Amino acid sequence: MVDNLVFIEYKDEIDIYEKLFGKDTIVVSLNPAVGVELKQRGISFINSLDLFGVDGHRNTIIISSKITDQLIPLFDKLILVNNKKTIEVNWLFYLRVFLKYWISMLHVVHVAISKYNPKRLVTIKFNNNSKIGIRITEKNKIIGEIITLYAESHEIKIHYEKLLDEDNNKLELLKTLFINWTSVQIFEILLFIYPLVNKNKTSILSPDKSYNMHKFLHEISGQIERSFVVYMEGGYRSIMIDIKNIILGKAFNFLSLPVYSQNNLKFVDRLKEFSNYINMWLKKNKSLTIIYDVNIEKPLSNFISDGLFKGMVELHGKIASMHRLLDVVQPQYVFSQHSLGVNYALGEFCAENIIPSLLIPHGSYVPHSDSIADLEW
């Protein structure tokens, strides 16, 4: 039996635990960057991959699929006129990511505790774990909540080395509002300029330049007479090149799709009703959310009501921008390297309006012969 079992997910946590490192403490690295830093400091550690193994992959896939498969039929309760499939696909995608994070981390914690039988668990407690976005980031420190729930469920002593106070989000909120306001103004200007630059050319539309899409479209445009490449988004890193291309009439970049809140109230109300319905269903079916004797129903419900809800509202606002862009651009061809987020809605639009379009995935869709890999595929 060891005195302390510490799980470290991000590099900035190493200094917090450093005084505990020694022969009576087992350190588990949950992140390759953490492992590299620990090795450079000469601190012995256990790689979480050694604890996860084949069983971890299998359990994560099977348990997460069991939950999401039960939720899919419940989408009949989400009443939307437009883009329902886009919302459903994205809602399930981000829920799966959240679920797989929790299940995989719980598996590592469970195996480590079973193997080393520590006197106590040491972690960081975060005051506001429910206030997370649609993506899990370093700011959330969710591993502290995972370890806390496991310790409480198995009556294991737990020590909080440091309490991280909730960040003051007012400044961050003002920054977000200013950025969105600015992007709306730029977007409106670009919508006005586009017809003046296009001059009835054949528009070839793509979500952005990533994964060498700009090189591919350069080759394609050479085969189409009077073609004009248009990007829905692309950020501001190469803005001078984008401005030059616009002036020369070579290509057009809308830079970003702002989040429009107009006509959003009905969607917000219906999504809120659906989120509440799902959370009530999860409460009634707790057997689904008990993993290694830990009930994750509460953090899962918090995510559905907060991070996932806000993410879908933002997506709905960006889809509104996309439709305004499409009304102006009227693309003759569409090529996409993604099928998530607003790009799924783009695919739906092309299908409904019979616009020639092609998805060129940046990943592999080759089926696997291995049973576990095939299940994941």
Side-chain angles (χ1 to χ4, degrees):
M1 177 181 284
V2 298
D3 288 343
N4 304 305
L5 182 58
V6 179
F7 298 87
I8 305 180
E9 188 173 14
Y10 299 106
K11 285 200 305 182
D12 65 347
E13 300 167 12
I14 296 176
D15 291 335
I16 296 172
Y17 298 120
E18 195 165 20
K19 64 182 179 182
L20 296 172
F21 298 156
K23 63 179 181 179
D24 296 324
T25 298
I26 296 290
V27 178
V28 178
S29 169
L30 299 170
N31 188 315
V34 172
V36 171
E37 183 67 22
L38 289 171
K39 190 173 183 179
Q40 288 177 349
R41 296 191 189 192
I43 301 168
S44 61
F45 64 94
I46 307 298
N47 192 320
S48 59
L49 290 176
D50 297 330
L51 301 171
F52 194 59
V54 175
D55 287 340
H57 282 283
R58 180 185 292 109
N59 292 343
T60 299
I61 295 166
I62 291 173
I63 296 170
S64 61
S65 296
K66 187 177 180 181
I67 295 172
T68 53
D69 287 349
Q70 293 284 327
L71 294 178
I72 289 172
L74 303 182
F75 270 87
D76 288 341
K77 299 292 182 180
L78 179 60
I79 309 300
L80 296 177
V81 177
N82 299 312
N83 303 115
K84 180 179 178 178
K85 191 63 180 179
T86 295
I87 298 300
E88 179 180 340
V89 166
N90 282 273
W91 193 96
L92 285 169
F93 173 84
Y94 285 107
L95 184 74
R96 283 193 181 100
V97 171
F98 185 82
L99 270 175
K100 288 179 178 180
Y101 174 88
W102 264 84
I103 297 165
S104 60
M105 289 298 182
L106 274 173
H107 181 85
V108 170
V109 171
H110 176 73
V111 172
I113 292 171
S114 301
K115 184 174 182 179
Y116 298 109
N117 190 25
K119 291 180 181 178
R120 69 175 186 176
L121 303 177
V122 183
T123 190
I124 297 172
K125 187 173 184 180
F126 188 57
N127 274 346
N128 203 15
N129 274 318
S130 64
K131 297 293 182 181
I132 62 173
I134 196 169
R135 294 177 178 86
I136 297 170
T137 68
E138 186 175 346
K139 293 180 180 180
N140 302 133
K141 308 294 185 189
I142 295 178
I143 189 64
E145 185 178 9
I146 293 171
I147 293 170
T148 297
L149 286 181
Y150 191 96
E152 290 173 350
S153 301
H154 293 83
E155 298 182 344
I156 300 173
K157 187 177 179 181
I158 188 168
H159 169 71
Y160 298 108
E161 184 57 31
K162 184 178 180 181
L163 181 65
L164 297 180
D165 294 325
E166 180 184 353
D167 293 331
N168 186 348
N169 293 322
K170 290 183 180 179
L171 187 60
E172 194 66 31
L173 177 60
L174 288 173
K175 181 181 175 182
T176 302
L177 290 173
F178 175 76
I179 290 173
N180 194 59
W181 180 86
T182 304
S183 65
V184 167
Q185 308 313 309
I186 294 172
F187 185 70
E188 293 293 342
I189 293 171
L190 291 172
L191 285 177
F192 175 78
I193 292 174
Y194 180 82
L196 305 176
V197 177
N198 176 267
K199 297 177 181 178
N200 296 318
K201 293 179 182 177
T202 302
S203 298
I204 305 173
L205 181 68
S206 181
D208 54 60
K209 300 178 184 178
S210 63
Y211 299 97
N212 286 322
M213 179 58 80
H214 63 293
K215 292 182 180 179
F216 172 76
L217 291 185
H218 178 73
E219 294 181 17
I220 291 293
S221 59
Q223 307 298 317
I224 301 174
E225 188 176 351
R226 286 183 53 78
S227 61
F228 191 59
V229 176
V230 183
Y231 299 102
M232 292 200 304
E233 299 184 271
Y236 296 85
R237 287 185 179 180
S238 59
I239 188 167
M240 297 310 297
I241 296 174
D242 292 326
I243 291 173
K244 181 180 177 181
N245 287 334
I246 290 173
I247 294 172
L248 296 175
K250 289 183 177 181
F252 201 95
N253 191 339
F254 281 91
L255 301 177
S256 67
L257 291 175
V259 178
Y260 273 93
S261 57
Q262 291 94 331
N263 303 319
N264 224 14
L265 290 178
K266 186 177 289 187
F267 173 80
V268 169
D269 289 341
R270 290 181 175 178
L271 183 63
K272 191 174 291 185
E273 289 175 6
F274 177 71
S275 299
N276 292 336
Y277 175 79
I278 294 295
N279 287 337
M280 289 298 296
W281 187 91
L282 288 171
K283 279 186 178 180
K284 294 176 183 178
N285 296 270
K286 287 186 177 180
S287 60
L288 276 176
T289 56
I290 296 176
I291 303 160
Y292 301 116
D293 296 322
V294 177
N295 191 350
I296 67 167
E297 178 263 323
K298 185 176 179 180
L300 188 57
S301 294
N302 286 339
F303 175 66
I304 290 170
S305 299
D306 193 56
L308 189 55
F309 176 82
K310 290 176 181 175
M312 293 302 102
V313 171
E314 181 178 320
L315 173 60
H316 189 264
K318 292 191 75 171
I319 291 172
S321 293
M322 183 199 75
H323 281 293
R324 293 196 63 211
L325 182 152
L326 292 171
D327 286 343
V328 172
V329 173
Q330 297 183 9
Q332 279 80 38
Y333 303 97
V334 174
F335 296 92
S336 177
Q337 64 276 60
H338 316 292
S339 60
L340 188 65
V342 71
N343 302 317
Y344 194 96
L346 176 61
E348 282 195 293
F349 178 87
C350 291
E352 291 169 2
N353 292 275
I354 319 177
I355 298 173
S357 55
L358 182 65
L359 174 64
I360 309 172
H362 52 79
S364 172
Y365 283 92
V366 180
H368 298 272
S369 57
D370 179 79
S371 58
I372 300 301
D374 184 60
L375 179 61
E376 187 169 15
W377 180 82

